[in-house]
Amino acid sequence: MSDRHPPLRAPLGPRDRGPDPRTLRTRAAVAEAATTLFLQRGYQDTGVDEIAALAKVSKRSIYNNYGDKESLFTELVLGFTSTAGEFADRLVTGLAEAADLPQALHELGRRHLRTVARPEVLRLRRLIILEAGRFPALAEEYYRSAPGRVMAALTEAFALLHARGALTAPNPRRAAEHFSYLVLGSTLDSFLFAPEADLPTPTELDRLADDGVTAFLAAYGG
């Protein structure tokens, strides 16, 4: 039997142990509290004191984890844009190859409107519009990564559908704009000017989406 001992391992350092669970809990609590307050009150009327109180942490914890209110707001919005970008990629999957295009477009329209017409999503869009003057680069990034990415995905799909004769859309970008506004436009406009009004029921949302898709197909059907 060998009398050699296995090599000694160096003690685990802070990086080897991974993130501190307490830090993760603090960041999650701050992010949740800040999101709630930003969406309820807006950026300007939300203070670090209120965020700390709702998150049940110290102001120092917020500064240590996020730097300042502006950095916190920016990080939260960019987190939403990442999720929205993933949704955009999934939204049109299989559309260009759909055997029953009208059915696929109706399903797409319903899914898109149901996703966008959620209070937290609508409040975020309204908040970003209101703060676009203060955070122009952030507003531009949100548009590029969320509604802009959806528009790009629709444009690509409609170009392929036009190429195979399933749609008559020689200008696929314009067709994507028309589709998006016909499905989403009235709901987005209503909430923008009356944010406290009741949103349509799921059944009403489906009817709005179906009507928009029907109008789109009347103009662009192959």
Side-chain angles (χ1 to χ4, degrees):
M1 179 181 297
S2 171
D3 60 357
R4 296 178 61 190
H5 295 287
L8 294 175
R9 295 183 181 274
L12 291 176
R15 292 183 181 178
D16 299 314
R17 296 192 183 100
D20 186 336
R22 292 172 298 180
T23 299
L24 294 177
R25 286 195 297 269
T26 296
R27 287 181 63 85
V30 171
E32 182 178 356
T35 299
T36 297
L37 293 173
F38 284 142
L39 294 182
Q40 285 180 351
R41 302 181 182 181
Y43 176 83
Q44 192 67 13
D45 291 333
T46 296
V48 175
D49 287 322
E50 289 83 6
I51 296 171
L54 185 59
K56 296 181 173 58
V57 301
S58 67
K59 287 176 62 176
R60 177 53 54 192
S61 293
I62 295 177
Y63 293 128
N64 287 343
N65 281 280
Y66 289 98
D68 54 25
K69 188 177 80 165
E70 180 176 334
S71 299
L72 171 58
F73 180 74
T74 299
E75 185 169 329
L76 293 177
V77 171
L78 291 178
F80 278 110
T81 63
S82 175
T83 302
E86 293 169 5
F87 164 75
D89 291 340
R90 296 192 306 268
L91 184 65
V92 300
T93 300
L95 179 63
E97 301 82 27
D100 187 339
L101 183 60
Q103 179 181 345
L105 286 172
H106 278 284
E107 291 174 355
L108 168 66
R110 288 184 173 200
R111 189 164 65 252
H112 195 187
L113 184 56
R114 285 178 182 176
T115 300
V116 171
R118 291 181 291 155
E120 64 274 20
V121 176
L122 293 169
R123 290 193 183 103
L124 177 66
R125 290 174 68 107
R126 188 170 187 271
L127 176 61
I128 292 171
I129 291 170
L130 289 172
E131 296 297 338
R134 193 187 312 274
F135 298 96
L138 184 61
E140 182 178 350
E141 175 62 19
Y142 175 82
Y143 179 81
R144 186 190 66 80
S145 299
R149 195 159 164 182
V150 170
M151 199 68 66
L154 286 171
T155 299
E156 182 178 355
F158 289 168
L160 294 171
L161 288 165
H162 175 74
R164 72 178 177 92
L167 284 182
T168 304
N171 185 337
R173 173 70 185 195
R174 184 58 51 83
E177 292 168 351
H178 287 165
F179 181 88
S180 184
Y181 190 83
L182 286 167
V183 171
L184 306 177
S186 63
T187 304
L188 294 182
D189 277 354
S190 296
F191 187 86
L192 181 63
F193 293 102
E196 302 305 320
D198 291 334
L199 286 170
T201 66
T203 299
E204 291 169 338
L205 287 174
D206 285 349
R207 187 178 302 117
L208 286 167
D210 286 343
D211 288 346
V213 173
T214 297
F216 176 82
L217 286 169
Y220 289 98

